[in-house]
Amino acid sequence: MTDSAHVTGASSAKAPHGSRSGASGGAAGQLALMLGALGVVYGDIGTSPLYALQTVFSIDHGAVRPTSGDVYGVISLVFWSVTLIVSVKYVVFILRADNDGEGGVMALAALVRRVLGGVRGRAAAVMALGVFGASLFYGDSVITPAISVMSAVEGLKVATPSLSHVVVPVAATILTLLFVAQRWGTHRVGSFFGPVMVLWFLAIAVAGVQEVVRRPGILAGLSPTYAGAFVIDHPYIAFIAMGAVVLSITGAEALYADMGHFGRRPIRRAWFAVVFPALTLNYLGQGALILRDPHSTANPFFLLLPGWARVPMVVLATLATVIASQAVITGAFSVSRQAVRLGFLPYLRIRHTSPREVGQVYVPAVNWILFVGVLGLMLGFRSSERLATAYGVAVTATLIITTVLFLVVARAHWGWAAWKLVVVAVVIGGAEVTYFAANLTKVAHGGWLPLLIALSVFTIMKTWERGREIVTERRTAKEGPLPEFIGTLRGSDVVRVPGAAVFPHPTKETTPLALRANVEHNRVVHEHVVIVSTVDENVPHVPVAERAAIDDLGYRDDGIVHVTLRYGFQDDRDIPAALRRLASDGANAELDIDPDQASYFLSRVTLQVTRSPGMRMWRKRLFLALANNAASPAERFALPELRLVVMGSQVDI
């Protein structure tokens, strides 16, 4: 813990590839962004046909039968689920609710907090909802790579049954290589993702078309009447089926989360021009195949293909699922970075893996925690069918949270009429609540796992947030008012020594502990003293020209100045670089310093656990463990280690 430990902003992009800069680059730029969106945004939902229908017909010991009524009902449910949740909710409505061009559940929560303004209680509840949504994403991040890669490699059992025993080792090897490769960044292979996914969507569309041509009557399954009849005739079975139908819309959140990197128009065009038609044709083809051969429910995706095409499709499917897994993994990195900057996690070591894209990050701690979780899950469940029992709870809960936050924006920010809110809440929200309720039946069979992960992460985040509040309150009492401290300096005999001292500090209201200690113990003050505070805005970026505000603290000749640096939740915090710009601009005579020769002072706060009120003892110990394992605060603000001075102080919690 240091003086400089304070709330910072966040990125919610799920898989940071591409850039909004191409959004205005004409047809070529739009095409490039569409290709990028296909390669990243749609990796998760695009690979759902691998296991969605297979799970529907295997769930609850085959409760859904391969009969005409059940097949048409399931196909109708899948089509209208994708249409309602993805096409209508996300593509038409949710993409409009951007936070200065950025999306994602925490960015949406930050937007709602900004819209609500001074309504403090509601704003806190909204951010808690956003934090829980982000926590649920971690549960999804553990399951998605395991089920996606496993379902692809399981095609080997269909193509060559004698290779069944190698499925788990091969899948584990692929995922191990994927996690090991994270340190080099995804930008090196990003250009490869788009073309692979184009080939993937073309292949699954062709595979579906050939079966639809054989049995064109399956097209009747696009009518919502079959979904209605299925629900009315077999309400319990339909309810069970909904728990697996939701697998067809997993990855929908990526549409919103990656909006800032591709723009809403390329994402919409890619969906309606490529992804939606390809998914629809493949699901129709699988339905037609099941009607023709009821035994194909064992693996309708790979059985759509002729024998000679199954091994090549296993290879293509494996590449596609690796891309889908990559999107989720990098999304976990982005959510972690976001949580750090919003003050819900201690500072983690974050590496930027691209010289051009600030959103492309690698978080070693998160990477290896995910790897252990994914590998343990795969070795524990050992098949995509079993993994599917744990899948869906986190996804559906996130869908509901996003809808609730969206309705707040629609009412408070856009001024929607009450009847519009009711329609969206009843139609879309009602469907999502049904998905969630259906998935609750999985809790005892593995669905508890993502919920446990989410609750654990939520507890960690809220404990860190509360602990920081307590430490800040008690540290502030030790610091004392800054104006009063400066007033005492002017009438004292403290020696002014040559050079510049920079003190990162959360506020200009109190005195940095390191500055106070330097005066009290060494009886010296540097010729130039710069106190730097950073402020987080609920927007992704703050223009460089608008980032700094300078305050001479009431005296223009005392060599003490305060600088406030405003950052968006996607901006890098680099204090020396900011001071370098201010010095070169000649913005203030007291900032006429060389940041490369300045000394940087941090106050290292030593935490002491006591029985004082504020948090339960176990939460205090958790907070202390998190604080002790936080990365160096010098990294947070890019402070030069060789010019860093750390001074200690104790705070009781």
Side-chain angles (χ1 to χ4, degrees), residues 469-524:
E469 291 174 353
I470 294 173
V471 170
T472 299
E473 178 183 342
R474 294 174 184 174
R475 186 198 63 216
T476 299
K478 285 177 171 283
E479 292 168 342
L482 180 59
E484 179 182 310
F485 179 78
I486 293 176
T488 62
L489 284 182
R490 293 181 65 82
S492 70
D493 57 354
V494 174
V495 177
R496 302 300 292 259
V497 297
V502 179
F503 297 86
H505 189 62
T507 175
K508 67 178 180 181
E509 305 302 324
T510 61
T511 309
L513 288 175
L515 175 58
R516 183 179 290 278
N518 205 28
V519 171
E520 291 178 354
H521 297 291
N522 300 325
R523 303 299 299 168
V524 297

Side-chain angles (χ1 to χ4, degrees), residues 346-505:
Y347 181 72
L348 302 171
R349 186 168 287 103
I350 299 173
R351 282 178 43 199
H352 292 267
T353 59
S354 169
R356 297 178 301 276
E357 302 297 337
V358 67
Q360 294 185 6
V361 296
Y362 168 58
V363 187
V366 174
N367 184 67
W368 297 116
I369 290 173
L370 281 181
F371 172 66
V372 171
V374 170
L375 202 61
L377 202 64
M378 179 177 289
L379 296 177
F381 284 82
R382 303 190 71 81
S383 76
S384 62
E385 182 180 336
R386 293 176 181 172
L387 279 167
T389 62
Y391 207 26
V393 179
V395 173
T396 52
T398 304
L399 292 177
I400 294 171
I401 289 172
T402 303
T403 298
V404 170
L405 294 176
F406 169 76
L407 290 174
V408 176
V409 171
R411 181 60 174 173
H413 193 42
W414 298 340
W416 272 24
W419 69 267
K420 289 184 179 181
L421 300 175
V422 171
V423 169
V424 172
V426 171
V427 177
I428 295 178
E432 291 171 345
V433 169
T434 304
Y435 295 139
F436 180 69
N439 275 277
L440 288 178
T441 62
K442 302 179 182 180
V443 170
H445 304 286
W448 55 268
L449 182 61
L451 291 179
L452 177 62
I453 294 172
L455 288 172
S456 299
V457 174
F458 182 77
T459 300
I460 289 172
M461 288 186 176
K462 294 300 290 182
T463 296
W464 180 257
E465 180 194 33
R466 178 57 183 149
R468 283 179 58 261
E469 291 174 353
I470 294 173
V471 170
T472 299
E473 178 183 342
R474 294 174 184 174
R475 186 198 63 216
T476 299
K478 285 177 171 283
E479 292 168 342
L482 180 59
E484 179 182 310
F485 179 78
I486 293 176
T488 62
L489 284 182
R490 293 181 65 82
S492 70
D493 57 354
V494 174
V495 177
R496 302 300 292 259
V497 297
V502 179
F503 297 86
H505 189 62

Side-chain angles (χ1 to χ4, degrees), residues 216-228:
I218 193 65
L219 292 171
L222 299 180
S223 170
T225 58
Y226 284 96

Side-chain angles (χ1 to χ4, degrees), residues 266-336:
I267 290 176
R268 282 176 171 164
R269 288 180 174 177
W271 172 253
F272 287 115
V274 179
V275 184
F276 191 28
L279 292 176
T280 301
L281 287 170
N282 192 265
Y283 285 125
L284 287 170
Q286 291 189 46
L289 174 65
I290 293 171
L291 287 174
R292 181 169 62 84
D293 178 11
H295 296 292
S296 64
T297 55
N299 199 319
F301 179 84
F302 283 103
L303 290 173
L304 268 179
L305 303 160
W308 62 267
R310 288 171 185 167
V311 172
M313 181 58 91
V314 169
V315 175
L316 180 58
T318 301
L319 288 173
T321 54
V322 165
I323 292 170
S325 302
Q326 178 66 69
V328 174
I329 294 167
T330 52
F333 294 162
S334 294
V335 169
S336 301

